Amino acid sequence: MTIATGRRGPAAGAPDLCARTAIDLAALLARGEASAVEVLEAHLGWIDERNPELNAICTLDRDHAFEQARAADDLRRGDPEVAAAKPLLGLPTAIKDLVPTKGIRTTFGSPVFADNVPDFDALLVERIRDAGAVVIGKTNTPEFGAGSQTFNPVFGKTRNPWDSSRTCGGSSGGAAAALASCMLPIADGSDLGGSLRNPASFCSVVGFRPTPGRVPRVPPEQGWDDLAVLGPMGRNVADAALLFSVIAGPDARDPISLPSSATPFHPVEPADLRGLRLAWTPNLGRYAVEREVVEVCEAALPVFRNLGAEVEKAAPDLSGAGHIFRTLRANLFADKLAPLFPRHRDQMKDAVIEEIERGLALTGADVAKAQAERTRLHCRVVSFFERYDALILPAVQVLPFDVDQPYPTEIEGQTMSTYTDWMASCYSITVTGCPAISVPCGVGPTGLPVGLQIATPRGTDRQTLAIARAFEAVAPCGASS
């Protein structure tokens, strides 16, 4: 196995303007060394080259993209002061197809919404546009975001840029694949049971699940729910932090929205790890993890020790996390999709039907019990982080699997009975409410990437980014290294 690897595989042949990091590209634009139109043309040309194979970007809006790029160039020439206040000015991006975009088809990966064109932007999109980004279209996602394998009956499957016979993960799979292949410099995603972290691991990019409430969800659906979050993705931690700084910040319409951070999220410098106590666990003491995944992650541990951190093998007691997650997830699906059910049942995949039916069968007592169990888990996690500054573990329990396989049915001899069982290393962290990031960790003997997950106490988002930045600075092994 190796900790460092190049990006020649997933982004071979990418034009210079596409291969640059988002921060480098933004600086190039700010200096006037390239125009937004030139940057857009380069990315659209590369999309035309790579997307037919990967199917990462499911909808393109070329005409409006060029309108936005020309407007960005006009603003930079006409009002440099205003332009300088827009950190994403001229950077192309595409929005996950679960997020409403005004005037751009938004399908949620479902035939029920195959022709849906919203007349409004979600707040996340408003903020990305206000920061000057050029929104070129949408990235692919599984049906209603259900599952960490990106395929749906509207657009089909998205393939992994490292090996097109493998899945890119999900549900932010289109975003991760587009980043890894240099079709986009930055991308948004969302995460319930691992939908930012899982595809980031599979595609060797960065996916950051922030503390719930850090990125407001407007319009809200279940406003008090804190399992589902929005977050940034990038080819490195700094790029993800750049986008995070744009989309984070309070909004009163989201009832769990958090106040602004006292310290900006961008730029984020590598943390000084001297004296920090880090807990390492290969499996949270309870889950099956493929041997190659564990070996790649363990090979990275000396990086933290060499930076001065103390690394111990330890894990919080997350017993009950599976029951909590499955109960609250089913409740969310039923609340959101029951109005479409059963009239559109024949247009839904089995996994979505199962989630809705399980949710509809729940009683108030079932949900209350799960919430009480989660409260006890929370107290155990708080106690754990009184002893440790961060928890390190594999982001995903398996390597990228066959693109035609809906989900892994077995890990190291242990049967996975549902389509979410194999995601426990992610969804267990979801239940804690802690911020967590998947950062590229290495590539195993089979040539497939592995992500390392770093979680820190609830509310310490900048600490999560800074520790990941410190690791990345010494062991660069992502799509852009």
Side-chain angles (χ1 to χ4, degrees), residues 291-371:
R291 185 177 296 107
E292 188 173 326
V293 171
V294 174
E295 289 173 350
V296 172
C297 290
E298 285 183 332
L301 298 182
V303 171
F304 295 100
R305 294 189 175 104
N306 292 341
L307 290 171
E310 180 181 348
V311 182
E312 300 177 3
K313 192 172 183 179
D317 179 2
L318 299 185
S319 55
H323 173 260
I324 295 164
F325 175 76
R326 286 188 294 271
T327 300
L328 300 183
R329 176 185 174 87
N331 186 58
L332 286 171
F333 265 80
D335 178 73
K336 179 178 180 179
L337 299 178
L340 302 175
F341 192 78
R343 185 162 57 97
H344 293 288
R345 179 188 178 118
D346 62 341
Q347 293 177 284
M348 297 178 176
K349 69 178 181 179
D350 290 344
V352 172
I353 293 171
E354 291 167 7
E355 289 283 4
I356 296 170
E357 291 182 334
R358 187 163 62 248
L360 292 174
L362 292 170
T363 66
D366 292 331
V367 176
K369 180 180 178 181
Q371 293 288 16

Side-chain angles (χ1 to χ4, degrees), residues 89-225:
L89 188 63
L91 293 183
T93 192
I95 307 298
K96 185 174 179 179
D97 202 29
L98 296 182
V99 180
T101 42
K102 184 177 181 179
I104 303 177
R105 185 184 182 197
T106 302
T107 73
F108 311 103
S110 167
V112 181
F113 293 96
D115 300 316
N116 177 53
V117 180
D119 59 2
F120 68 96
D121 280 331
L123 176 63
L124 175 137
V125 182
E126 289 181 2
R127 289 181 171 181
I128 288 173
R129 290 191 194 274
D130 288 346
V134 175
V135 177
I136 67 170
K138 310 301 288 283
T139 55
N140 205 19
T141 184
E143 185 178 337
F144 295 117
S148 285
Q149 219 285 43
T150 298
F151 65 94
N152 62 65
V154 182
F155 297 112
K157 65 192 75 169
T158 298
R159 297 177 180 272
N160 193 315
W162 288 80
D163 180 344
S164 61
S165 72
R166 307 282 179 143
T167 178
C168 60
S171 63
S172 307
L179 285 169
S181 59
C182 291
M183 288 191 280
L184 296 174
I186 48 171
D188 69 288
S190 56
D191 189 304
L192 180 68
S195 291
L196 280 157
R197 295 161 287 164
N198 174 294
S201 176
F202 278 8
C203 295
S204 198
V205 297
V206 172
F208 179 44
R209 176 190 166 89
T211 299
R214 192 66 76 188
V215 180
R217 299 164 301 173
V218 179
E221 290 175 345
Q222 275 204 359
W224 298 103
D225 161 58

